[in-house]
Amino acid sequence: MFPTGFSSPNPPAAAQEVRPATDGNTSSSSSCKKRKLNNSSNSNSEKEEFDSISSCTSSPSKNTSSSSSSVITTSSCSSSGVASSNHHLQKKLRFEDSVDFIGLDVKMAEESSSSSSPAASSQQQHQQQLKNKSLLISSVAVGHHANGLTKAASSTVSSFANSKPGSAKKLVIKNFKDKPKLPENYTDETWQKLKEAVEAIQNSTSIKYNLEELYQAVENLCSYKISANLYKQLRQICEDHIKAQIHQFREYPFFLAVDKPKFVLFLKKIDKCWQDHCRQMIMIRSIFLFLDRTYVLQNSMLPSIWDMGLELFRTHIISDQKVQNKTIDGILLLIERERNGEAIDRSLLRSLLSMLSDLQIYQDSFEHRFLEETNRLYAAEGQRLMQEREVPEYLHHVNKRLEEEADRIITYLDQSTQKPLIATVEKQLLGEHLTAILQKGLNHLLDENRIQDLSLLYQLFSRVRGGVQVLLQHWIEYIKAFGSTIVINPEKDKTMVQELLDFKDKVDHIIDVCFLKNEKFVNAMKEAFETFINKRPNKPAELIAKYVDSKLRAGNKEATDEELEKMLDKIMIIFRFIYGKDVFEAFYKKDLAKRLLVGKSASVDAEKSMLSKLKHECGAAFTSKLEGMFKDMELSKDIMIQFKQYMQNQNVPGNIELTVNILTMGYWPTYVPMEVHLPPEMVKLQEIFKTFYLGKHSGRKLQWQSTLGHCVLKAEFKEGKKELQVSLFQTLVLLMFNEGEEFSLEEIKQATGIEDGELRRTLQSLACGKARVLTKSPKGKDVEDGDKFTCNDDFRHKLFRIKINQIQMKETVEEQASTTERVFQDRQYQIDAAIVRIMKMRKTLSHNLLVSEVYNQLKFPVKPADLKKRIESLIDRDYMERDKENPNQYNYIA
């Protein structure tokens, strides 16, 4: 192929086509047959038939060359050559340069079969062979290509005649020695076409030329190193066009904030200009794509065509101060109107802000002013609404504002604005009013248990630096204040524990749901509970013990076993906050003893469950005595089985059945012994049991405790027979009415020997309670001196067995005082033991260090004055002494 113009925009991949031509006289077919010519490396060269070498206007096909063979494929074309011989020529094909060649020299060389002939002879033989050949080169069909350049249609036709058989021929293909040159005025004409196309795009008119033709023209210019000039010319024409646009915006009348149509029209005009510019630059870049991907890429200092367009638009339009100010003012005004609740064109805002981002002036020209306006707006709004609205309403407004701003970021603001924008809103609506919000509304929200509002409060405060810490502080103060009202007020003693449990449940629920189980709030709650519950020493511990007693007593049908277990778990949580756990132990032990001895325990399993909880919380030493009480009850059952067997061998008159509980004095509460006058039958049974027990356990001493004894009496009334479950004291009183009709208080007291206060309580339970077995005269709630009592023969009750001994379970004032006194006495012993223990180990210690170590060892609160008294007591008893030289130092006395 001999090109007459310049190289193709897409260089051929391997080799040009060589087509064998057919003899026009011997063949009537106009189409060429596809042939393959193989260059073999074998010693015996293959014979190849050349039918024709034809000219073709089609693009060259890809050829594959290898070291062993070369294949050339021909395509269909019109026949244009004449061959003069049917002889077969034996030859070789060789490619000098198979890639990126522009033109080809085709040489047919004949290779002598004998390599030993001299050079002169060889040259003469070669000339002779050329004379015997007829070489015909077909005329080259020249056509016009789409880019306006003339281009050779294809190739050369050669025919070889009168060749001798056996002679080898070589086809040599080489590049042109000189690069083809562009026609004159080609550059100017081509640029004129491109310029017309660019102007048509800029003016939104139709383009005269095919886009492929324009692209090819750009590629042709770039191939001949005219890229720099082309880029410069393109930039100039774009710049001229953009400069012409600025006047319409400069001359646009300045708008007022109230003149909404004008500033919206201005913004739309700017947006249309930007959209048109983008569309034009995309179209222009598609035409000049080859320039963009070759020359511009190779020059790192040059912006791409798209970036060049952005730079020109930024420099000549948006960077104009008047235009920029009007644009930014208009955008800010639209956003302000939207914040005030008006409907605006969000797509316009999105497009304009996207333009600022693309032009890389978003932050400098817009964002700074936007954040300033936002700060000013919300600062004023926060101050105003904090005074006008209640806290829940204000919190919902803040949340709504934050959601609106987040939506703006998603819809039309740049993502880089998100962090500073949200931070500005949070600071002005929340950060500046944290304390005011909590002081104004937190207590109200907590009192009314406003879960949703509290959740929102925590969620919003979590967004502000230091917000959670401020909330935590107010949370602690609220718990202390509310808890103190429950604990300190003596009028609430009856409901204190239940109120504490309810308050704890409420607080836990708020922490779980509203504060998302934040560990700081959990720990703060525990500290606050521990603080307020110990503001009133000892009383909460006593009341908790009594509350547990009320729940573990028989007759408590309010809760199932599972509910009772949950309640005990909650009690243990409150119990952990108490310092004076020894007070709890004393009252719990007293109540447990009554439940076990009177048979009022609701469930042994529940009792043991509570015991295991206390053991887990306070250690084995705390519950050792309580566990001993249960052991005594079990041993007593075994002893009574043996006693019943023993009684079967005794001839005891009467039908009284005696049950005795053997108690170890160290395990059980201390009871004041009370001598009463028992009936002879009971005294005899006591003596029989004493003989039986001491016979088995020698060296032990039995002391009868009548205060906790109880009996079942069979009584006959007019209505019928009844069984009365009564205390021992009630039994002694009722048995007197078998011997008489009426007795006075003094007579009963003399006959029974019961202590006066206890007797009055006993008579009150029989004559003034719900089950009035006795009748008192004169009538009244209290038993006074001189009152007389008679048996109530008209007594009626729906039950056969009636329990009248609940009085035994009630705690008297004396019992409470004695229990408290006993606790204080035990505490003194513990303080003495702790001081002696420390001094024995240290030998010598200063007063302050001794006090500090004693506080560390004791598990209950001690006043410094009480501690000083115990130290003085130990000095008096010669356990320790003051140092003679230093009065503030103590020495241990062995």
Side-chain angles (χ1 to χ4, degrees):
M1 180 186 292
F2 293 85
T4 58
F6 53 90
S7 65
S8 171
N10 296 317
Q16 298 286 354
E17 297 173 359
V18 178
R19 298 182 176 85
T22 58
D23 190 338
N25 298 324
T26 58
S27 175
S28 61
S29 175
S30 64
S31 64
C32 301
K33 298 177 182 179
K34 289 189 177 182
R35 302 288 187 182
K36 290 186 180 179
L37 295 108
N38 295 328
N39 179 22
S40 176
S41 59
N42 298 334
S43 59
N44 297 323
S45 302
E46 295 178 2
K47 292 182 179 181
E48 298 176 349
E49 181 179 355
F50 274 70
D51 289 336
S52 66
I53 299 176
S54 60
S55 175
C56 181
T57 60
S58 65
S59 299
S61 61
K62 292 183 179 179
N63 302 293
T64 304
S65 63
S66 66
S67 60
S68 61
S69 64
S70 298
V71 181
I72 301 175
T73 306
T74 63
S75 58
S76 62
C77 57
S78 58
S79 176
S80 60
V82 179
S84 61
S85 176
N86 289 327
H87 291 288
H88 297 285
L89 299 177
Q90 195 172 16
K91 61 184 178 58
K92 292 181 180 179
L93 294 176
R94 180 169 65 86
F95 292 162
E96 289 287 318
D97 186 2
S98 61
V99 181
D100 284 342
F101 54 81
I102 299 173
L104 298 174
D105 286 337
V106 181
K107 295 182 180 180
M108 296 300 298
E110 187 177 304
E111 193 173 86
S112 175
S113 60
S114 175
S115 61
S116 60
S117 56
S121 176
S122 183
Q123 178 68 20
Q124 186 177 3
Q125 186 180 359
H126 175 63
Q127 292 176 356
Q128 184 61 35
Q129 287 174 349
L130 288 175
K131 289 179 182 179
N132 297 331
K133 290 186 185 131
S134 63
L135 177 64
L136 177 62
I137 300 175
S138 64
S139 60
V140 179
V142 179
H144 289 279
H145 194 265
N147 58 14
L149 295 176
T150 57
K151 191 171 183 180
S154 235
S155 63
T156 308
V157 180
S158 298
S159 168
F160 302 94
N162 302 323
S163 299
K164 295 181 180 180
S167 61
K169 307 297 180 186
K170 182 186 290 185
L171 177 64
V172 181
I173 305 171
K174 293 183 178 180
N175 288 336
F176 283 124
K177 291 180 180 179
D178 297 324
K179 185 176 179 180
K181 294 181 180 179
L182 290 173
E184 292 182 7
N185 300 327
Y186 175 75
T187 304
D188 295 338
E189 292 173 1
T190 305
W191 166 243
Q192 194 59 35
K193 286 183 181 180
L194 293 172
K195 182 180 179 182
E196 290 176 9
V198 171
E199 289 174 347
I201 291 170
Q202 291 172 343
N203 297 326
S204 299
T205 57
S206 58
I207 304 171
K208 298 179 182 179
Y209 310 101
N210 186 287
L211 291 177
E212 185 180 354
E213 180 183 346
L214 295 172
Y215 178 90
Q216 189 67 55
V218 172
E219 187 174 348
N220 293 338
L221 292 176
C222 290
S223 300
Y224 281 85
K225 298 182 179 179
I226 311 174
S227 304
N229 192 42
L230 182 62
Y231 182 86
K232 186 177 179 182
Q233 289 174 314
L234 176 62
R235 180 185 176 91
Q236 187 61 46
I237 194 173
C238 291
E239 187 171 8
D240 293 343
H241 174 73
I242 291 172
K243 281 182 178 179
Q245 302 290 319
I246 190 63
H247 300 294
Q248 60 177 325
F249 300 116
R250 282 180 178 167
E251 296 167 1
Y252 203 86
F254 190 75
F255 53 84
L256 299 173
V258 294
D259 195 3
K260 182 177 177 181
K262 282 191 178 181
F263 81 77
V264 172
L265 287 174
F266 177 83
L267 293 178
K268 287 183 176 179
K269 198 172 184 68
I270 283 282
D271 181 54
K272 184 177 184 305
C273 179
W274 165 250
Q275 298 295 341
D276 290 344
H277 174 75
C278 290
R279 188 176 62 254
Q280 292 163 10
M281 290 310 300
I282 290 170
M283 196 72 175
I284 291 170
R285 181 179 178 272
S286 65
I287 293 174
F288 290 84
L289 188 61
F290 193 85
L291 174 69
D292 206 29
R293 289 184 175 175
T294 54
Y295 173 70
V296 176
L297 276 180
Q298 292 164 7
N299 292 269
S300 58
M301 300 301 291
L302 290 178
S304 67
I305 293 174
W306 174 257
D307 291 340
M308 175 193 74
L310 295 180
E311 180 190 333
L312 293 174
F313 194 90
R314 177 174 61 245
T315 304
H316 297 293
I317 293 184
I318 292 301
S319 292
D320 184 277
Q321 203 58 44
K322 286 185 178 180
V323 176
Q324 187 179 112
N325 288 343
K326 288 180 182 180
T327 305
I328 302 303
D329 288 344
I331 293 173
L332 292 175
L333 197 55
L334 276 182
I335 296 174
E336 184 180 349
R337 286 175 182 265
E338 187 187 36
R339 282 173 172 165
N340 292 333
E342 296 183 27
I344 62 166
D345 187 353
R346 288 185 137 205
S347 60
L348 175 62
L349 272 180
R350 182 167 56 247
S351 178
L352 290 170
L353 292 172
S354 175
M355 172 190 75
L356 297 179
S357 294
D358 291 343
L359 297 175
Q360 297 180 350
I361 60 169
Y362 177 87
Q363 290 185 337
D364 295 335
S365 64
F366 168 76
E367 188 178 79
H368 182 67
R369 282 190 59 192
F370 171 67
L371 293 176
E372 283 182 350
E373 291 294 320
T374 302
N375 191 68
R376 180 189 57 77
L377 170 71
Y378 286 125
E381 183 174 279
Q383 293 287 348
R384 176 171 52 84
L385 294 182
M386 271 302 296
Q387 296 176 358
E388 295 176 0
R389 300 189 180 184
E390 294 298 323
V391 168
E393 189 181 358
Y394 181 79
L395 292 175
H396 284 285
H397 175 77
V398 173
N399 190 51
K400 179 185 172 187
R401 282 301 199 189
L402 287 168
E403 289 175 352
E404 287 174 358
E405 297 303 333
D407 180 58
R408 286 188 186 95
I409 292 164
I410 294 171
T411 308
Y412 53 76
L413 292 173
D414 192 82
Q415 285 299 315
S416 63
T417 311
Q418 179 175 8
K419 195 171 180 179
L421 173 61
I422 298 301
T424 301
V425 180
E426 290 170 349
K427 180 188 175 188
Q428 294 302 334
L429 294 184
L430 288 172
E432 299 291 335
H433 310 287
L434 291 176
T435 306
I437 290 171
L438 295 175
Q439 289 177 347
K440 186 177 180 181
L442 178 62
N443 290 1
H444 176 69
L445 295 179
L446 290 170
D447 288 340
E448 296 190 359
N449 207 26
R450 302 273 287 271
I451 298 297
Q452 290 185 343
D453 292 335
L454 286 169
S455 299
L456 180 59
L457 175 71
Y458 178 78
Q459 175 193 334
L460 293 174
F461 273 55
S462 299
R463 303 174 71 130
V464 184
R465 176 180 289 183
V468 173
Q469 190 60 38
V470 176
L471 176 59
L472 183 65
Q473 196 59 41
H474 282 75
W475 167 250
I476 294 172
E477 292 172 4
Y478 171 80
I479 294 176
K480 287 180 180 178
F482 190 89
S484 297
T485 59
I486 298 174
V487 172
I488 292 176
N489 188 0
E491 295 178 1
K492 289 190 174 183
D493 283 358
K494 290 183 179 179
T495 59
M496 179 195 291
V497 179
Q498 188 59 54
E499 286 187 31
L500 284 174
L501 291 174
D502 294 341
F503 182 51
K504 180 66 169 57
D505 287 342
K506 172 184 171 181
V507 165
D508 286 341
H509 183 65
I510 290 172
I511 290 175
D512 290 345
V513 177
C514 305
F515 300 158
L516 306 178
K517 301 181 181 179
N518 189 319
E519 199 65 30
K520 291 181 179 179
F521 283 83
V522 175
N523 295 331
M525 177 269 296
K526 290 178 181 177
E527 292 175 8
F529 261 80
E530 192 172 322
T531 302
F532 78 73
I533 210 169
N534 291 293
K535 280 187 175 180
R536 189 181 177 192
N538 306 326
K539 198 63 181 178
E542 175 191 333
L543 294 174
I544 289 172
K546 291 177 179 178
Y547 183 84
V548 174
D549 174 59
S550 69
K551 296 298 180 183
L552 293 178
R553 274 188 200 175
N556 177 33
K557 298 177 181 178
E558 299 175 6
T560 62
D561 291 342
E562 291 181 0
E563 291 172 343
L564 185 60
E565 187 69 20
K566 288 180 181 178
M567 186 277 300
L568 293 178
D569 288 334
K570 291 178 181 179
I571 284 288
M572 290 308 300
I573 293 172
I574 301 294
F575 173 74
R576 290 190 190 107
F577 301 135
I578 295 171
Y579 291 152
K581 290 182 171 60
D582 53 345
V583 177
F584 173 87
E585 181 194 12
F587 281 94
Y588 183 79
K589 183 165 71 171
K590 177 178 67 68
D591 294 332
L592 174 62
K594 285 186 177 182
R595 291 198 300 274
L596 294 177
L597 295 175
V598 184
K600 290 288 187 179
S601 180
S603 167
V604 177
D605 292 337
E607 295 282 5
K608 291 187 175 180
S609 172
M610 183 64 186
L611 202 61
S612 67
K613 295 180 194 299
L614 289 171
K615 186 174 183 179
H616 181 266
E617 185 66 31
C618 303
F622 186 85
T623 58
S624 59
K625 293 181 179 180
L626 302 176
E627 290 173 341
M629 294 167 69
F630 281 96
K631 288 178 183 177
D632 282 350
M633 296 303 294
E634 292 170 4
L635 288 172
S636 297
K637 290 179 182 178
D638 296 337
I639 291 172
M640 290 318 299
I641 293 171
Q642 296 172 14
F643 180 66
K644 285 180 181 179
Q645 294 173 353
Y646 176 79
M647 285 294 290
Q648 289 176 359
N649 300 325
Q650 303 291 324
N651 293 321
V652 181
N655 56 353
I656 300 176
E657 186 177 335
L658 178 66
T659 302
V660 181
N661 290 314
I662 312 298
L663 312 180
T664 305
M665 290 187 69
Y667 294 157
W668 296 78
T670 304
Y671 298 106
V672 179
M674 188 181 295
E675 293 294 333
V676 293
H677 304 152
L678 297 176
E681 298 88 350
M682 289 187 184
V683 174
K684 187 175 182 180
L685 283 173
Q686 281 185 349
E687 291 299 325
I688 293 172
F689 180 80
K690 186 175 182 180
T691 305
F692 160 77
Y693 184 78
L694 294 178
K696 284 184 169 292
H697 305 280
S698 60
R700 294 189 181 182
K701 182 182 177 182
L702 286 178
Q703 183 180 359
W704 296 92
Q705 292 289 347
S706 55
T707 53
L708 293 176
H710 59 95
C711 304
V712 176
L713 290 179
K714 293 181 179 178
E716 290 188 19
F717 299 97
K718 289 180 180 179
E719 188 184 27
K721 292 183 178 180
K722 299 284 184 183
E723 286 187 359
L724 304 177
Q725 186 171 330
V726 288
S727 68
L728 179 60
F729 294 161
Q730 289 171 327
T731 302
L732 297 179
V733 172
L734 291 174
L735 287 176
M736 287 182 63
F737 289 91
N738 286 337
E739 300 172 1
E741 293 292 331
E742 185 179 78
F743 297 95
S744 65
L745 174 64
E746 289 75 16
E747 289 172 339
I748 296 172
K749 181 179 180 181
Q750 189 176 2
T752 59
I754 302 172
E755 186 265 330
D756 184 71
E758 193 66 40
L759 179 60
R760 289 175 188 271
R761 289 178 65 237
T762 301
L763 288 170
Q764 188 180 31
S765 66
L766 292 171
C768 305
K770 291 182 179 179
R772 300 185 180 184
V773 182
L774 300 180
T775 305
K776 182 176 83 74
S777 61
K779 293 182 178 181
K781 290 184 178 180
D782 298 323
V783 176
E784 305 292 343
D785 294 340
D787 287 353
K788 294 185 178 181
F789 299 89
T790 57
C791 183
N792 183 12
D793 293 333
D794 297 327
F795 176 76
R796 295 172 181 274
H797 204 280
K798 60 182 180 181
L799 298 176
F800 176 71
R801 174 172 283 193
I802 305 148
K803 296 179 181 179
I804 312 177
N805 66 334
Q806 285 91 344
I807 187 173
Q808 284 183 297
M809 300 299 293
K810 289 184 179 179
E811 182 185 48
T812 63
V813 177
E814 293 79 9
E815 279 182 326
Q816 180 181 351
S818 65
T819 305
T820 306
E821 183 63 32
R822 203 159 46 246
V823 169
F824 289 148
Q825 190 64 43
D826 290 342
R827 283 185 176 182
Q828 289 183 357
Y829 297 146
Q830 291 182 50
I831 294 169
D832 290 350
I835 293 172
V836 171
R837 215 168 28 242
I838 293 166
M839 289 305 300
K840 187 175 182 179
M841 183 174 61
R842 295 295 186 91
K843 303 301 181 186
T844 301
L845 207 61
S846 68
H847 177 78
N848 290 336
L849 287 175
L850 176 60
V851 170
S852 176
E853 293 218 18
V854 169
Y855 276 131
N856 290 337
Q857 288 196 14
L858 297 178
K859 297 180 180 178
F860 50 85
V862 183
K863 294 178 181 178
D866 293 338
L867 193 56
K868 193 172 182 181
K869 286 179 183 179
R870 299 319 305 159
I871 293 173
E872 295 294 338
S873 173
L874 289 170
I875 291 174
D876 293 341
R877 287 180 283 166
D878 293 334
Y879 283 96
M880 52 196 287
E881 65 179 3
R882 291 186 189 275
D883 191 85
K884 293 178 182 179
E885 297 180 358
N886 186 359
N888 286 327
Q889 192 161 315
Y890 303 109
N891 298 325
Y892 176 69
I893 299 175

